[in-house]
């Protein structure tokens, strides 16, 4: 593993996501250099309310990911509702309307697996609270590509099935509380 | 990251498909193609992509099975109801001024959007003066589109979308339900031409007043997107309309200046004069 300022961060969360993200993303410092990609399970008909909510609290730019957009340092991208978000090898973003994975679109597995392909060891994957098993296969792909895997401590998580499933698939993942995840991420992307 | 063996296998398979069968996926967005091919390899029971390539090269019967993975498009009738509402309220009033109309649904897959537009045009009294061109590269998808039969459990969502789009009739007026399936009326496709057409390799074939191509070009890389948009530009009549998927745009295209943003929120563009 090779955690440097050239890293990219992918985060997946489901039930309880808003509170968890509010504990992590606003702590990222101005000058943070890693792009951050986030998949949260939201109902397909809902506009992504998380973007304006988090933009109001974060020092970094928060936006909805656009198709073919090039990743920029220190920008937080959210997958649009009802689309999968993927990363291409040339580090541009791609959307797809392929069928749901783990009953989810966007799916955490789809983002994490494509990001693991694109970034290999320069990737940090974070699985937060959630009530399903999406993200377990994705985090495993991150580990297999040599990246860093972090799972929110099930003792702290609002919903535990997602952290549990991720830990079962990737037993070597680091287990952290939200404040530890926040300081870990803040340290890795500082300019 | 350096190229893996699997990436190389994918590249070779796509080249083989093109050389052998003239299906050109070489400029499709690679991350999605990789997911689909990995899925195809697993479900069709091959140990490697190379093994799949060997089979598809020597056994043409494998081609449609592979195409099903590569071209799979999941849609629903009146997907994004606000798009259809926008067509109804803002685009159709313009189209109404023409004595005859041509509409192209590019990448129609199993036809959900074809029937949606046919119903919209019926409700607005424009159906009888319109010819619809529904095109796709997958012959099996085209056959499904032409049949217009959908699983009954999808109809509730279709009906909900139709209502939200400002539908003036009841969706149940247009289909017959039997044996867990809903068969849409022939009258909705009497003016539809279903045809094999590739945005990758084929050319302009008629002058259109409206082109709807939604969530098709997100699967293309920028080069291919640009080719398709050029094709739409060449196909549209003066002041013709182009509707894209809600997360697509012309922003990255060299043809962007040829179009005006007619309804930016709904990704509906209008070709500038001439």
């Amino acid at each position: 593993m090779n955690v440097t300022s050239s890293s990219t961060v992918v985060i997946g969360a489901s039930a309880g996501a808003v509170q968890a993200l509010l504990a992590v993303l606003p702590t990222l410092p101005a000058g943070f250099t890693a792009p951050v990609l986030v998949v949260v399970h939201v109902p397909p008909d809902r506009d992504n309310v998380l973007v304006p909510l988090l933009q109001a609290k974060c020092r970094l730019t928060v936006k909805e990911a656009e198709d073919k957009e090039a990743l920029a340092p220190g920008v937080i991208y959210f997958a649009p509702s009802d689309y999968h978000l993927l990363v291409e090898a040339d580090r541009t973003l791609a959307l797809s309307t392929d069928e749901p994975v783990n009953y989810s679109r966007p799916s955490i597995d789809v983002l994490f697996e494509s990001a693991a392909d694109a970034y290999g060891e320069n990737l940090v994957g974070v699985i937060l609270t959630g009530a399903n098993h999406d993200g377990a296969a994705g985090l495993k792909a991150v580990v297999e590509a040599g990246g860093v895997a972090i799972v929110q401590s099930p003792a702290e998580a609002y919903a535990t099935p997602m952290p549990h499933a991720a830990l079962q698939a990737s037993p070597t993942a680091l287990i952290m509380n939200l404040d530890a995840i926040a300081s870990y991420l803040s340290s890795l992307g500082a300019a | 990251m350096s190229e893996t063996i699997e990436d190389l296998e994918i590249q070779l398979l796509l080249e083989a498909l093109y050389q052998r069968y003239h299906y050109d996926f070489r400029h499709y967005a690679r991350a999605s193609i990789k997911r689909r091919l990995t899925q195809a390899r697993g479900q069709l029971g091959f140990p490697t992509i190379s093994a799949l390539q060997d089979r598809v090269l020597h056994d043409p019967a494998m081609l449609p099975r592979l195409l099903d993975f590569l071209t799979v498009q999941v849609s629903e009738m009146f997907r994004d109801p606000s798009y259809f509402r926008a067509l109804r309220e803002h685009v159709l009033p313009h189209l109404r001024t023409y004595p005859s109309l041509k509409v192209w649904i590019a990448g129609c897959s199993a036809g959900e959007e074809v029937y949606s537009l046919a119903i919209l045009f019926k409700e607005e009294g424009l159906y009888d003066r319109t010819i619809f061109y529904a095109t796709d590269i997958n012959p099996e998808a085209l056959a499904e589109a032409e049949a217009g039969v959908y699983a009954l459990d999808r109809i509730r969502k279709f009906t909900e979308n139709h209502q939200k789009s400002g539908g003036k009739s009841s969706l149940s007026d247009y289909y017959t339900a039997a044996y867990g399936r809903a068969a849409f009326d022939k009258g909705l496709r009497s003016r539809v031409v279903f045809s094999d057409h590739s945005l990758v390799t084929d050319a302009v074939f008629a002058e259109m007043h409206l082109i709807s191509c939604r969530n098709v070009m997100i699967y293309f890389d920028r080069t291919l997107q640009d080719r398709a948009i050029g094709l739409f530009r060449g196909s549209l009549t003066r002041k013709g309309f182009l509707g894209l998927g809600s997360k697509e745009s012309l922003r990255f295209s060299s043809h962007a200046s040829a179009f005006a943003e007619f309804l930016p929120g709904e990704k509906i563009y209008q070709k500038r004069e001439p």
Side-chain angles (χ1 to χ4, degrees):
Chain A
M1 82 182 57
N2 178 25
V3 179
T4 66
S5 58
S6 66
S7 292
T8 292
V9 178
V10 288
I11 299 176
S14 190
V18 178
Q19 289 310 315
L21 290 172
L22 281 170
V24 173
L25 297 179
T27 67
L28 299 178
F32 188 79
T33 53
V36 180
L37 304 166
V38 188
V39 164
V40 175
H41 296 153
V42 289
D45 293 343
R46 194 82 53 85
D47 269 347
N48 208 329
V49 293
L50 286 169
V51 170
L53 176 72
L54 282 153
Q55 183 60 86
K57 309 264 184 193
C58 289
R59 277 164 279 200
L60 305 178
T61 299
V62 182
K63 71 188 295 290
E64 190 175 85
E66 291 179 72
D67 191 46
K68 307 284 180 274
E69 185 175 13
L71 281 162
V75 176
I76 302 171
Y77 301 89
F78 276 81
S81 65
D82 215 17
Y83 286 81
H84 291 305
L85 172 63
L86 302 93
V87 186
E88 295 286 353
D90 65 359
R91 280 121 197 242
T92 57
L93 297 172
L95 302 178
S96 105
T97 53
D98 278 4
E99 58 196 33
V101 174
N102 305 314
Y103 309 101
S104 307
R105 189 171 65 196
S107 151
I108 300 165
D109 281 350
V110 172
L111 171 64
F112 279 37
E113 287 168 8
S114 66
D117 271 351
Y119 288 101
E121 59 181 10
N122 294 313
L123 183 69
V124 178
V126 184
I127 295 293
L128 301 175
T129 169
N132 57 40
H133 293 183
D134 192 23
L139 195 69
K140 189 158 179 256
V142 173
V143 172
E144 285 170 356
V148 178
I150 298 173
V151 175
Q152 184 185 6
S153 164
E156 183 200 51
Y158 170 84
T160 57
M162 209 154 89
H164 274 309
L167 286 170
Q168 200 170 2
S170 306
T172 59
L174 305 168
I175 303 172
M176 296 184 187
N177 282 335
L178 291 174
D179 56 357
I181 294 173
S183 51
Y184 181 92
L185 294 183
S186 295
S187 70
L188 86 94
Chain B
M1 236 199 134
S2 62
E3 195 175 65
T4 64
I5 290 173
E6 196 177 39
D7 292 332
L8 178 59
E9 288 179 291
I10 289 170
Q11 198 178 320
L12 294 172
L13 170 64
L14 298 183
E15 191 62 37
L17 278 178
Y18 178 64
Q19 299 283 339
R20 173 86 167 84
Y21 299 107
H22 296 281
Y23 277 100
D24 193 352
F25 295 99
R26 294 172 301 172
H27 284 283
Y28 273 49
R30 198 49 70 90
S32 279
I33 279 286
K34 182 168 184 175
R35 269 201 87 80
R36 289 169 166 199
L37 280 177
T38 307
Q39 223 175 1
R41 182 192 63 67
Q43 289 187 27
L44 296 172
F46 292 97
T48 61
I49 301 277
S50 303
L52 172 59
Q53 176 188 318
D54 180 57
R55 178 70 175 276
V56 77
L57 273 177
H58 294 284
D59 177 7
M62 184 53 71
L63 179 66
R65 300 181 64 189
L66 182 55
L67 281 184
D68 257 6
F69 284 95
L70 287 175
T71 64
V72 59
Q73 268 286 29
V74 190
S75 190
E76 48 194 50
M77 284 181 72
F78 297 96
R79 178 182 159 100
D80 303 321
S82 60
Y83 172 76
F84 289 91
R85 183 182 282 275
L87 289 179
R88 185 192 301 276
E89 292 175 355
H90 301 288
V91 175
L92 265 54
H94 287 267
L95 298 185
R96 204 178 288 287
T97 62
Y98 294 93
S100 69
L101 292 166
K102 286 180 178 165
V103 174
W104 180 13
I105 301 101
C108 70
S109 191
E112 291 89 342
E113 184 156 318
V114 179
Y115 290 94
S116 308
L117 285 170
I119 289 169
L120 171 63
F121 276 60
K122 284 233 176 204
E123 287 177 343
E124 297 298 326
L126 293 177
Y127 183 83
D128 292 331
R129 69 170 94 159
T130 306
I131 297 175
F132 298 86
Y133 296 90
T135 64
D136 203 276
I137 56 167
N138 184 339
E140 293 194 355
L142 276 173
E144 277 180 55
E146 196 155 4
V149 177
Y150 303 103
L152 206 50
D153 59 12
R154 301 177 66 198
I155 293 292
R156 179 195 284 206
K157 180 70 176 164
F158 293 1
T159 303
E160 189 186 311
N161 286 348
H162 176 235
Q163 291 300 313
K164 284 188 192 162
S165 79
K168 291 177 174 170
S169 54
S170 167
L171 194 67
S172 59
D173 297 344
Y174 301 103
Y175 64 82
T176 315
Y179 306 110
R181 303 194 306 172
F184 279 81
D185 293 347
K186 284 189 188 122
L188 290 176
R189 55 180 173 268
S190 59
R191 300 190 61 81
V192 182
V193 179
F194 294 91
S195 174
D196 176 14
H197 181 276
S198 164
L199 296 172
V200 185
T201 49
D202 292 334
V204 172
F205 60 90
E207 190 175 38
M208 305 293 169
H209 298 86
L210 167 65
I211 297 173
S212 192
C213 182
R214 301 196 307 144
N215 297 323
V216 174
M217 289 192 295
I218 50 176
Y219 291 103
F220 295 174
D221 73 10
R222 280 202 202 184
T223 311
L224 189 47
Q225 266 186 358
D226 221 39
R227 182 191 195 275
I229 293 164
L231 206 55
F232 297 150
R233 179 186 182 176
S235 302
L236 280 171
T237 187
R238 196 169 77 92
K239 296 196 147 189
F241 296 92
L242 171 64
L244 303 180
S246 65
K247 302 300 169 194
E248 298 177 299
S249 83
L250 296 181
R251 199 153 51 97
F252 301 120
S253 168
S254 66
H255 299 287
S257 62
F259 293 89
E261 293 190 336
F262 183 72
L263 289 171
E266 296 300 335
K267 302 298 162 69
I268 296 173
Y269 296 83
Q270 187 174 31
K271 188 176 159 184
R272 292 183 198 274
E273 300 180 58

